Amino acid sequence: MKKNIEEKMIAIIFLGIMYGICFSHLKTHVSDFLNVAKATIKEGITLSNIEKARDLYEEKDEALYTQQEIWIEGYGLVQRTLGKREINNFELLKDGSGQLYMPLTKSNIDKEAVAQVEKLNRYCEGKEISFLFVQLPYKNYDNIKELQNYGDDSTEEDFDWFVEKVKTKGISCLDLREDEKTKQYYRTDHHWTVEASFYAAKDIADRMTGLIGQVIDMEVYEGEKYETEIYKEAFLGSYGIKVGKYYAGEDDFSLLIPNFPTRLKYEHRIDGELILAKSGDFEESFIDKELLENKGYHNKYNALLHGGYVENIIYNELAKNETKVLVIGHSYGRPLVQYLGLGVQELRYLDPQDGRYNENILEYIEKYEPDIVIDMYNQKLNLG
């Protein structure tokens, strides 16, 4: 009985918050409001049922809540007030520091993925092209004590298995998880931070130098050569957008801007067609400042490399070498290649996820003739 009363109070408080937040959009219909509260209580206090109640109310007043976001924000606020560790029927989890996670069971890493890395390495050896497999860190709650009762997360275990298998094949491998500085993530998103990607670029450049026998300009990876530009509470990532800023909070979004001269050209191509071309210094070539400054746009990660997601080409006109690099990886590669490209003459970055660059990777290598291939993708590739 007591629990039933508490649920009713929570529903009325929630809907009261919604009514208050949206007051400027409403006509005052108290009876309609109470009907919505009753409908929500009857069906249960879940986000989906609150959305159904919202739709019921909108049928009575089309001026009500033009944006679903307002409802999500209010729901998240109530869940935060209640101290909920999970939200949206276990769609997301939150640890004690406020980091959001998506519940995982098991990755798609398997023996076939190992075989693909081996095939790619063997092809590069035949072309006298250096090869490096890079195991990226990835946001997970495998070792988060307060989340251990919310389902297994085998990410770290799967990565350990994969790295061991790759190394037993005699393939050059860099496990970035060994560098704690690369394991920094946005609270509201699954991506690593720009700062983490910078440290990763430095680690990769250092290993790359030993593999290709060419001198890479390692000075461009020194942290003191960069200024930090911060956009305060500007980023609500792919997790945060599901539950709103009141539950998740908003991330600061930082950029590391070189304080040394840069002159670059950047191209984004889809199916070989030039979609975007930029040139100039680091910011002019790589960063979408308009998107960063747009307060109504939440996913600031897309400002990096202008959101390029298929075939990306970087030319460094001030490079002190003639090194050509091919990077294969998912969206973690977007901020990374901005910094890795500062130390070489040319860098190309392919994202082989479904619906992105799905052409034959071996044929691309044949035409491009890079000095080194850096594979950061441990799932299915098109290798012909």
Side-chain angles (χ1 to χ4, degrees):
M1 181 68 178
K2 182 180 178 181
K3 183 178 179 182
N4 185 256
I5 292 173
E6 288 177 348
E7 287 187 346
K8 290 181 179 181
M9 289 301 297
I10 290 168
I12 292 172
I13 289 169
F14 170 80
L15 291 164
I17 291 171
M18 292 298 90
Y19 195 85
I21 290 174
C22 303
F23 182 77
S24 62
H25 300 284
L26 296 175
K27 299 173 183 176
T28 308
H29 296 306
V30 176
S31 61
D32 286 343
F33 170 75
L34 291 176
N35 287 334
V36 174
K38 290 176 183 177
T40 306
I41 292 165
K42 182 179 179 181
E43 296 297 326
I45 314 303
T46 67
L47 182 57
S48 61
N49 288 336
I50 288 170
E51 289 174 344
K52 289 177 184 176
R54 175 207 61 193
D55 294 340
L56 181 154
Y57 201 174
E58 283 180 334
E59 289 176 4
K60 295 179 178 293
D61 188 346
E62 294 181 359
L64 177 67
Y65 313 149
T66 56
Q67 295 183 352
Q68 181 178 353
E69 181 179 341
I70 296 174
W71 285 86
I72 293 174
E73 296 289 8
Y75 177 72
L77 177 59
V78 172
Q79 300 305 297
R80 179 176 177 175
T81 302
L82 294 174
K84 294 291 289 293
R85 188 73 73 190
E86 59 82 21
I87 194 167
N88 291 3
N89 195 25
F90 298 92
E91 181 181 11
L92 291 172
L93 306 177
K94 182 166 71 169
D95 71 12
S97 68
Q99 286 277 352
L100 296 181
Y101 301 85
M102 184 172 289
L104 302 172
T105 50
K106 192 169 181 63
S107 69
N108 295 322
I109 296 173
D110 55 21
K111 292 181 180 179
E112 183 181 350
V114 176
Q116 286 193 133
V117 174
E118 186 177 17
K119 180 178 180 179
L120 187 54
N121 175 68
R122 190 164 57 246
Y123 177 84
C124 289
E125 285 182 337
K127 296 290 182 178
E128 297 185 344
I129 296 170
S130 298
F131 180 83
L132 175 65
F133 175 78
V134 175
Q135 179 57 65
L136 296 169
Y138 198 79
K139 187 177 184 180
N140 65 84
Y141 60 94
D142 183 62
N143 294 313
I144 306 299
K145 184 178 180 180
E146 60 266 32
L147 298 181
Q148 293 310 297
N149 294 326
Y150 289 91
D152 293 332
D153 185 339
S154 64
T155 303
E156 295 299 328
E157 181 182 341
D158 293 345
F159 285 170
D160 288 343
W161 176 86
F162 195 86
V163 168
E164 181 183 0
K165 292 297 181 182
V166 169
K167 286 182 176 179
T168 58
K169 301 291 184 180
I171 299 170
S172 295
C173 179
L174 173 63
D175 189 349
L176 287 175
R177 296 176 301 159
E178 296 175 358
D179 183 352
E180 289 296 321
K181 294 191 295 297
T182 71
K183 296 160 69 175
Q184 304 175 53
Y185 310 97
Y186 296 107
R187 284 184 298 109
T188 67
D189 199 60
H190 62 287
H191 288 108
W192 60 4
T193 65
V194 169
E195 293 89 342
S197 73
F198 171 80
Y199 292 119
K202 182 177 181 179
D203 291 344
I204 292 172
D206 185 58
R207 176 64 71 86
M208 184 169 63
T209 300
L211 288 173
I212 64 176
Q214 297 183 30
V215 178
I216 303 297
D217 184 10
M218 292 301 296
E219 291 184 1
V220 303
Y221 305 112
E222 296 174 1
E224 61 269 22
K225 293 183 179 293
Y226 293 79
E227 302 291 337
T228 302
E229 187 175 286
I230 303 175
Y231 292 81
K232 300 290 291 185
E233 297 181 344
F235 181 33
L236 193 63
S238 59
Y239 295 166
I241 202 70
K242 297 174 181 290
V243 293
K245 63 184 178 183
Y246 297 121
Y247 181 80
E250 292 175 291
D251 282 293
D252 292 345
F253 194 81
S254 301
L255 297 175
L256 299 180
I257 307 299
N259 58 22
F260 54 87
T262 53
R263 192 162 68 242
L264 304 145
K265 291 182 180 179
Y266 167 67
E267 296 179 357
H268 181 214
R269 294 179 176 271
I270 298 178
D271 296 330
E273 180 182 350
L274 181 63
I275 302 301
L276 177 73
K278 295 286 183 178
S279 62
D281 64 15
F282 181 91
E283 289 187 272
E284 292 169 329
S285 300
F286 295 151
I287 308 299
D288 187 340
K289 297 301 287 287
E290 183 177 338
L291 189 152
L292 282 178
E293 293 165 1
N294 182 349
K295 295 183 179 180
Y297 189 87
H298 297 297
N299 192 358
K300 303 304 184 185
Y301 197 84
N302 284 337
L304 307 173
L305 214 65
H306 296 277
Y309 65 97
V310 180
E311 177 187 3
N312 306 269
I313 303 174
I314 295 170
Y315 302 100
N316 181 359
E317 297 184 0
L318 300 182
K320 297 178 181 179
N321 55 66
E322 298 180 353
T323 303
K324 296 168 62 178
V325 178
L326 176 62
V327 174
I328 303 167
H330 53 57
S331 55
Y332 269 46
R334 194 181 299 162
L336 184 149
V337 298
Q338 296 178 144
Y339 298 107
L340 189 60
L342 295 176
V344 300
Q345 185 179 76
E346 183 177 348
L347 182 149
R348 300 192 181 190
Y349 156 53
L350 306 178
D351 185 339
Q353 295 178 91
D354 287 343
R356 300 190 176 187
Y357 191 87
N358 301 140
E359 302 300 316
N360 190 313
I361 298 291
L362 301 186
E363 290 180 359
Y364 193 95
I365 295 172
E366 177 78 25
K367 295 177 182 177
Y368 177 39
E369 298 182 336
D371 295 294
I372 185 170
V373 172
I374 298 172
D375 181 13
M376 306 191 303
Y377 197 72
N378 46 20
Q379 295 186 30
K380 185 178 180 180
L381 292 172
N382 181 354
L383 299 179

